[in-house]
Amino acid sequence: MQSSQRATPFLLYITLWFLVWLHVLRGVMTLLVLFPFLNANSKKQHIQRWSKRLLKIFGIQLQVNNADTLPDSTYLLASNHVSWMDIHAINAFKPIRFVAKSEVERWPIFGWMAKQLGTVFINRESSRHARQVVTDMAVLLKTQSICIFPEGTSTIGKSVQTFKPNLFEAAAQAGVPVCTLALAYFDRITGEHSEVPAFIGDMGLIGSMASILKNRRLRVELTFFSPIKAKSGQALDRKGLALHSQEQIAQYLAKNCN
């Protein structure tokens, strides 16, 4: 285990689990009772507050770099992927719609919550379904920003895997900018990169939650890069857009996480 890890005292650990499930229950009740009657801005405020509270329970400090590079208009946000916590970290900064693999929809409670929040689920094994998702995304991008994790999987966060270009086609079709987000977790005390939140291999959601609760001294950094405009008919196609975002994140991780 990393030297950055430190066990949370047992009684506090038990209390934190209670707070987690109480917070999840509060989220479920909000979705069931309040959300049907709220406008879009009010929903975003609830999502942001809920996500900030979740990070606080798990002892994760949020740091945002270069937020002023994000456009006022809608955009496609391409990010590397480390943990299930990534979504909540991004929502704690600025709520956005996500694209997630279809397996997430089957998660107990959390899958249902993701669906209620408008998450777009994609079956990566079906090229036909992927094409339909791209078409749907292009329509949504006219009025809403969307975040994607183009690696198609999560990593320990020290490097980035090859970005799959398919979903970038939606930005090209909609004519919206593509923004890049480098996401990384660090130990607040030592400043070193941390693998504690990494959701990889056969790890289950509960096991990952337990790992973070036992090591509550993390900082998650969201570093944004200036958008690149996607326009149909130009040389910068979906592959060029994917490569551009991938290289920006790769350079950040190589400099800050190794």
Side-chain angles (χ1 to χ4, degrees):
M1 304 294 284
Q2 297 179 63
S3 60
S4 62
Q5 295 187 13
R6 181 186 62 180
T8 300
F10 180 73
L11 290 179
L12 176 58
Y13 176 72
I14 297 301
T15 301
L16 289 169
W17 268 116
F18 173 77
L19 292 176
V20 167
W21 293 117
L22 187 65
H23 190 57
V24 170
L25 178 61
R26 179 182 177 183
V28 169
M29 294 305 298
T30 299
L31 289 172
L32 285 173
V33 178
L34 288 180
F35 260 49
F37 306 101
L38 297 178
N39 59 36
N41 287 334
S42 295
K43 288 180 179 180
K44 288 182 179 180
Q45 290 174 4
H46 276 279
I47 293 169
Q48 185 177 43
R49 285 198 296 267
W50 191 90
S51 298
K52 285 183 175 180
R53 177 59 179 165
L54 186 72
L55 262 62
K56 185 175 182 180
I57 294 172
F58 279 88
I60 301 176
Q61 180 186 80
L62 176 65
Q63 179 176 326
V64 181
N65 304 319
N66 307 328
D68 57 349
T69 63
L70 292 174
D72 295 328
S73 60
T74 60
Y75 52 87
L76 180 69
L77 182 64
S79 173
N80 62 311
H81 195 20
V82 178
S83 172
W84 59 272
M85 186 63 76
D86 300 349
I87 290 174
H88 306 297
I90 295 170
N91 275 338
F93 160 63
K94 188 175 183 179
I96 191 172
R97 200 159 183 170
F98 290 88
V99 175
K101 58 185 180 181
S102 56
E103 291 90 331
V104 173
E105 188 175 10
R106 296 193 291 271
W107 286 1
I109 303 178
F110 290 98
W112 176 85
M113 293 178 73
K115 187 175 182 179
Q116 302 309 305
L117 293 174
T119 300
V120 178
F121 297 103
I122 180 171
N123 181 359
R124 298 186 183 276
E125 303 301 319
S126 171
S127 57
R128 180 179 179 181
H129 185 253
R131 288 194 296 271
Q132 182 59 52
V133 167
V134 168
T135 301
D136 294 343
M137 286 175 58
V139 174
L140 290 172
L141 282 168
K142 296 292 186 179
T143 57
Q144 303 176 55
S145 297
I146 299 176
C147 179
I148 61 174
F149 299 111
E151 292 168 289
T153 187
S154 52
T155 71
I156 62 172
K158 286 191 173 184
S159 61
V160 60
Q161 295 191 22
T162 301
F163 273 12
K164 296 175 175 60
N166 292 357
L167 296 182
F168 287 87
E169 178 65 26
Q173 290 182 15
V176 300
V178 174
C179 302
T180 302
L181 167 61
L183 188 150
Y185 294 86
F186 300 92
D187 183 277
R188 291 203 309 268
I189 307 302
T190 66
E192 296 178 351
H193 174 261
S194 175
E195 297 177 18
V196 170
F199 190 57
I200 55 176
D202 296 327
M203 179 179 291
L205 179 59
I206 299 300
S208 177
M209 294 169 69
S211 177
I212 300 174
L213 285 175
K214 290 175 181 176
N215 302 275
R216 297 179 69 252
R217 49 190 269 185
L218 296 172
R219 180 180 77 254
V220 58
E221 286 194 13
L222 309 182
T223 302
F224 295 94
F225 297 90
S226 297
I228 181 168
K229 184 73 172 180
K231 293 182 179 179
S232 299
Q234 292 192 353
L236 195 59
D237 58 7
R238 63 182 185 179
K239 292 183 179 179
L241 291 167
L243 183 60
H244 179 81
S245 290
Q246 179 187 322
E247 289 179 343
Q248 285 183 313
I249 295 173
Q251 290 172 9
Y252 170 88
L253 297 180
K255 181 179 179 181
N256 296 279
C257 300
N258 289 280

